[in-house]
Amino acid sequence: MNKRFDKEYLRKRLKRQKYHMAWQFRGGWKLYWENLGPIAPVLKTVLKMTGILRRGFKNSITFEVVKQDVSIKNLPKSFKGFRILHLSDLHIDGMFDHGKRLVHCVKEVECELCVITGDFRFLTYGQTRETVLYTKRLVEAIRCKKILGILGNHDCVSMIPELESMGIEMLMNESIKITQGSEHITIVGVDDSHFYEADNLQKASEGMMSDSVKILLAHSQEVIPEAAEKSFDLYLCGHSHGGQLCLPGGIPIIKNTPKAFHKFVKGPWIYKNMQGYTSRGAGASCLTVRYNCPPEITVHRLV
Ligand SMILES: [Fe+2]
């Protein structure tokens, strides 16, 4: 463990995990909606009174498979057509069918690589037994040669051994080379920046070949400027759930990301010379409902 994680990183991460509930108003009046437990029953009551609660539950497991081509300059020939299944924000123990519909959906998709950009757990604290149990069932259904993952702001470091034992290679400020014949691309993964501020892109990028195609897995949007500075080709993230509760036309009521990143709440985007994609996520947080913002699983095809 110590070889992978330096002391300072572990000290900071574990301290924030321990005092998670007390950190709700960290940094003055900086608000973390996902940490505010009492909001869920209030929201549930309001939605029930307005008669749209059941629809919200149903929407939350009506998945959309989004397919998009990502054009990357200097992509090695053998990676043309390489498909990445992108799952994010599973919050799988919060799904009222415990991920069964998601399992069914994932079984239909075949890709070369699967990446999971954080938020396995529903709550931001508490037990992880059910998270691990349902994630394992999902992982068994994934039809990809390799599965990579990172932690989100709902996850804790103690989940790593169990996630790895089921076959997910967790990138904790680390990188990995994906090879096809004699060619390769590099996938880098950072820990959560939104709440834990545990991302370390400098460390994660160490030893990376400058001419390699580079894809970054980050849970949220805060690392975008640094990644663009480091010339990443593609940035894959989630976190904002596309708003989760949206007005008709998919207009988010809450974006749950700093104002500077409001443009990157969902879908494909470009920042300077870097392309990115923000998944709306497969799950939901706070209350398992969605409106005008279906949960998604995404297939990125490199061209
Ligand atoms: Fe999330």
Side-chain angles (χ1 to χ4, degrees):
M1 198 81 154
N2 282 346
K3 274 187 184 166
R4 266 179 98 181
F5 311 126
D6 62 63
K7 254 187 185 173
E8 180 52 29
Y9 161 84
L10 276 178
R11 191 195 61 77
K12 189 175 170 186
R13 235 278 181 187
L14 294 174
K15 188 179 171 193
R16 288 199 180 173
Q17 280 182 201
K18 191 175 169 191
Y19 296 106
H20 210 303
M21 289 304 286
W23 281 84
Q24 287 175 10
F25 294 99
R26 184 178 61 82
W29 290 100
K30 195 171 173 183
L31 188 62
Y32 290 86
W33 293 100
E34 61 272 32
N35 295 354
L36 297 176
I39 279 192
V42 173
L43 181 63
K44 191 174 179 181
T45 307
V46 171
L47 294 173
K48 201 170 182 179
M49 282 166 66
T50 50
I52 59 169
L53 181 63
R54 283 172 75 96
R55 199 197 322 155
F57 284 150
K58 196 174 166 223
N59 290 345
S60 75
I61 55 162
T62 307
F63 299 97
E64 189 183 325
V65 182
V66 178
K67 293 185 178 176
Q68 67 141 10
D69 283 354
V70 183
S71 177
I72 294 181
K73 212 168 68 177
N74 303 326
L75 184 71
K77 262 189 186 162
S78 58
F79 282 88
K80 281 179 185 156
F82 188 87
R83 294 160 302 172
I84 302 174
L85 171 62
H86 179 192
L87 305 176
S88 194
D89 298 84
L90 304 175
H91 300 292
I92 199 159
D93 48 317
M95 289 180 178
F96 60 86
D97 70 345
H98 302 149
K100 282 181 190 158
R101 186 89 67 104
L102 180 60
V103 163
H104 184 74
C105 189
V106 158
K107 268 185 187 166
E108 302 293 309
V109 181
E110 195 179 347
C111 285
E112 284 69 42
L113 174 70
C114 172
V115 299
I116 307 176
T117 49
D119 275 7
F120 294 82
R121 179 167 64 174
F122 183 62
L123 293 173
T124 51
Y125 57 89
Q127 59 95 11
T128 57
R129 195 183 57 83
E130 289 183 5
T131 314
V132 169
L133 189 69
Y134 305 139
T135 303
K136 188 166 187 289
R137 190 166 57 188
L138 175 68
V139 163
E140 284 164 0
I142 293 173
R143 295 164 64 205
C144 298
K145 288 179 198 134
K146 194 180 266 300
I147 308 173
L148 305 175
I150 54 169
L151 294 184
N153 59 307
H154 283 242
D155 304 319
C156 54
V157 283
S158 59
M159 291 162 65
I160 295 172
E162 284 169 302
L163 292 173
E164 292 196 329
S165 73
M166 65 178 82
I168 307 174
E169 292 180 49
M170 297 299 292
L171 297 176
M172 301 298 298
N173 298 323
E174 294 165 307
S175 67
I176 188 168
K177 260 189 197 177
I178 305 290
T179 54
Q180 301 242 100
S182 59
E183 297 176 314
H184 78 273
I185 59 172
T186 304
I187 314 279
V188 176
V190 287
D191 193 6
D192 173 58
S193 56
H194 179 72
F195 181 80
Y196 288 105
E197 296 176 348
D199 55 303
N200 188 342
L201 191 51
Q202 185 62 38
K203 175 182 175 284
S205 311
E206 273 167 17
M208 208 165 59
M209 286 161 80
S210 59
D211 60 344
S212 174
V213 163
K214 300 181 281 288
I215 299 175
L216 180 65
L217 311 180
H219 176 59
S220 60
Q221 295 88 345
E222 284 91 342
V223 195
I224 290 173
E226 193 185 350
E229 191 98 343
K230 288 191 158 46
S231 307
F232 273 83
D233 297 283
L234 179 64
Y235 185 111
L236 300 179
C237 66
H239 176 67
S240 42
H241 298 192
Q244 191 176 315
L245 311 179
C246 293
L247 300 172
I251 302 161
I253 299 167
I254 295 170
K255 293 182 176 165
N256 198 21
T257 194
K259 208 174 173 187
F261 304 114
H262 278 188
K263 281 191 286 186
F264 314 119
V265 161
K266 62 180 168 181
W269 45 262
I270 290 177
Y271 178 89
K272 296 188 177 169
N273 288 327
M274 183 178 74
Q275 298 180 76
Y277 189 91
T278 307
S279 167
R280 294 190 302 266
S285 62
C286 183
L287 186 65
T288 311
V289 291
R290 279 183 176 264
Y291 298 98
N292 303 304
C293 183
E296 76 171 78
I297 70 168
T298 324
V299 176
H300 305 286
R301 185 170 155 266
L302 307 186
V303 291

